[in-house]
Amino acid sequence: MGRPAILLLKEIYFPILAAVGVPANLVTIVILSRGNCGLSKCISVYMVAMATADLLVMIFNVILYYILSYHFPLSFLSHTRVCKLILFMNVVTFDWSVWFTVSFTFARFIVICCQKFKAKHCTDITAIAVITMFSVLVLLKDIPVFFAYETEIIFNNVEWGCRSNVHFFSAPLGVAYLWFHSTWRVWLPFTLVALFNYFTVRRILLASRARKRLKSHSSENHSDPEMENRRKSIILLFAISGSFILLWLTTAVSFVTTGLSNTTYYRGDRTNPAYIATETGDMLKLLSSCLNTFIYAASQRMFREELKTVLKSPWTLILGSLKHERKPK
């Protein structure tokens, strides 16, 4: 009997994902860091943080975990301490990616719907403080991951491998943490992103209707830059938030219906629908960490122009950026 189709698919899917996701996120970080995309410093900080988190997801989850650890099971990556660290960073980087997306959505909400707080909240200093706060909070929240796995075997006094700690996952505190983790990573972000987007888009549409009524009383007949900016804001918000929700939805539903949070050390039937649903959810949520570059390119003209510049002369651009940073201020 041949190998299950889902395993064959993963062996093809993850190398392609890494080959696309790593350079895409690196290019995004370079472009947004240059500050030539017509975005405010506040929004640029959040978007750079999102791209950085997605790059780390590609490194830890895809390259180290799904590719190297899978194809080289007897390498130093299989030492229990290294294995636990990779599993810990898998969880941390995903949490960063999710909550930086929520932070970005909230910042757009403040800019458009809360003019009184815009000047105070929407600054690069505030954005850096928010990103730092969530980074530390996530690191502290995910410490129990170290206790969720234990040594698989001991050979020549060396601990190898990681396996699920049955006592941790069967204990009331372990079960509670698993549900808290699912709520923190999926259901709470889903709710917040949906609410922020609803109020943001509602405000944009109301303002656009009022502006159209004013324009209808004017004899001038030319393009309205403000209306165009609002349209682009809606497209960017829907594209980023919509892709996040859709690509994480399978993971959320499969966890509720199957109770499986991951299948790293799954010992059951690999043709089981619960296993396939969980693996499919993992592949889709990893895909969300390399799509933002393409979303920016499709929805932002200035980003496309910067992307062309980077692709035409990447080394010149990097050297120019380094010289600019070294200039005395």
Side-chain angles (χ1 to χ4, degrees), residues 285-325:
K285 71 185 182 185
L286 284 164
L287 178 61
S288 71
S289 291
C290 77
L291 280 186
N292 282 347
T293 302
F294 303 100
I295 291 173
Y296 303 153
S299 62
Q300 302 291 308
R301 181 185 61 81
M302 296 182 73
F303 185 90
R304 289 196 297 273
E305 294 300 323
E306 284 290 296
L307 179 59
K308 290 176 184 176
T309 303
V310 171
L311 295 178
K312 286 179 182 177
S313 53
W315 296 115
T316 303
L317 184 65
I318 293 171
L319 290 174
S321 298
L322 290 174
K323 289 179 182 178
H324 177 73
E325 289 176 2

Side-chain angles (χ1 to χ4, degrees), residues 91-102:
V91 178
V92 166
T93 53
F94 262 137
D95 282 349
W96 282 342
S97 179
V98 168
W99 281 98
F100 293 168
T101 302
V102 175

Side-chain angles (χ1 to χ4, degrees), residues 21-65:
V22 171
N25 284 302
L26 279 172
V27 168
T28 300
I29 292 169
V30 171
I31 292 174
L32 293 174
S33 298
R34 282 166 53 82
N36 296 330
C37 294
L39 300 167
S40 66
K41 290 183 178 180
C42 168
I43 296 301
S44 294
V45 168
Y46 285 117
M47 292 174 73
V48 168
M50 290 163 60
T52 303
D54 289 339
L55 176 62
L56 292 173
V57 168
M58 288 293 113
I59 293 172
F60 283 98
N61 286 266
V62 179
I63 296 176
L64 291 180
Y65 182 63

Side-chain angles (χ1 to χ4, degrees), residues 76-121:
F76 79 98
L77 297 175
S78 296
H79 284 259
T80 298
R81 291 182 180 178
V82 178
C83 177
K84 281 188 176 183
L85 179 61
I86 292 174
L87 289 168
F88 173 73
M89 290 305 300
N90 285 356
V91 178
V92 166
T93 53
F94 262 137
D95 282 349
W96 282 342
S97 179
V98 168
W99 281 98
F100 293 168
T101 302
V102 175
S103 301
F104 163 79
T105 309
F106 179 70
R108 298 296 290 178
F109 164 76
I110 291 293
V111 168
I112 295 171
C113 299
C114 305
Q115 295 296 320
K116 292 182 180 179
F117 300 101
K118 179 180 176 180
K120 182 179 179 180
H121 180 82

Side-chain angles (χ1 to χ4, degrees), residues 162-183:
C162 296
R163 65 182 178 189
S164 301
N165 188 332
V166 177
H167 298 292
F168 177 87
F169 286 106
S170 60
L173 284 177
V175 174
Y177 175 77
L178 200 59
W179 280 100
F180 167 73
H181 176 70
S182 176
T183 302

Side-chain angles (χ1 to χ4, degrees), residues 1-17:
M1 185 177 178
R3 301 179 65 199
I6 189 68
L7 295 182
L8 296 174
L9 177 62
K10 286 168 60 179
E11 291 179 5
I12 300 170
Y13 176 78
F14 290 122
I16 294 174
L17 189 65

Side-chain angles (χ1 to χ4, degrees), residues 119-283:
K120 182 179 179 180
H121 180 82
C122 296
T123 65
D124 52 345
I125 295 175
T126 302
I128 292 171
V130 171
I131 294 300
T132 303
M133 179 194 70
F134 273 117
S135 299
V136 174
L137 190 61
V138 164
L139 286 170
L140 295 175
K141 191 274 294 182
D142 290 331
I143 287 176
V145 172
F146 284 111
F147 304 98
Y149 298 94
E150 61 184 3
T151 303
E152 192 164 16
I153 59 171
I154 299 177
F155 184 74
N156 288 337
N157 294 323
V158 178
E159 297 179 338
W160 289 88
C162 296
R163 65 182 178 189
S164 301
N165 188 332
V166 177
H167 298 292
F168 177 87
F169 286 106
S170 60
L173 284 177
V175 174
Y177 175 77
L178 200 59
W179 280 100
F180 167 73
H181 176 70
S182 176
T183 302
W184 163 273
R185 178 182 283 183
V186 182
W187 298 113
L188 182 58
F190 272 21
T191 303
L192 292 176
V193 167
L195 283 175
F196 294 148
N197 278 346
Y198 168 76
F199 288 115
T200 301
V201 173
R202 180 172 176 271
R203 179 61 178 266
I204 291 175
L205 292 177
L206 289 175
S208 297
R209 288 170 188 166
R211 195 171 182 86
K212 282 181 180 178
R213 283 196 295 269
L214 290 173
K215 293 281 290 182
S216 65
H217 295 294
S218 173
S219 59
E220 297 178 359
N221 186 21
H222 53 76
S223 61
D224 189 344
E226 184 66 24
M227 294 285 288
E228 183 64 19
N229 288 336
R230 289 172 181 172
R231 185 184 68 83
K232 290 180 179 178
S233 294
I234 292 178
I235 292 173
L236 185 62
L237 272 175
F238 268 31
I240 293 177
S241 305
S243 66
F244 164 71
I245 291 175
L246 288 174
L247 293 174
W248 277 80
L249 194 59
T250 302
T251 293
V253 174
S254 68
F255 174 76
V256 171
T257 55
T258 68
L260 287 174
S261 60
N262 70 72
T263 56
T264 310
Y265 305 103
Y266 186 72
R267 297 287 188 262
D269 180 10
R270 296 186 185 273
T271 61
N272 188 299
Y275 172 83
I276 294 174
T278 303
E279 290 293 87
T280 303
D282 282 344
M283 289 190 285

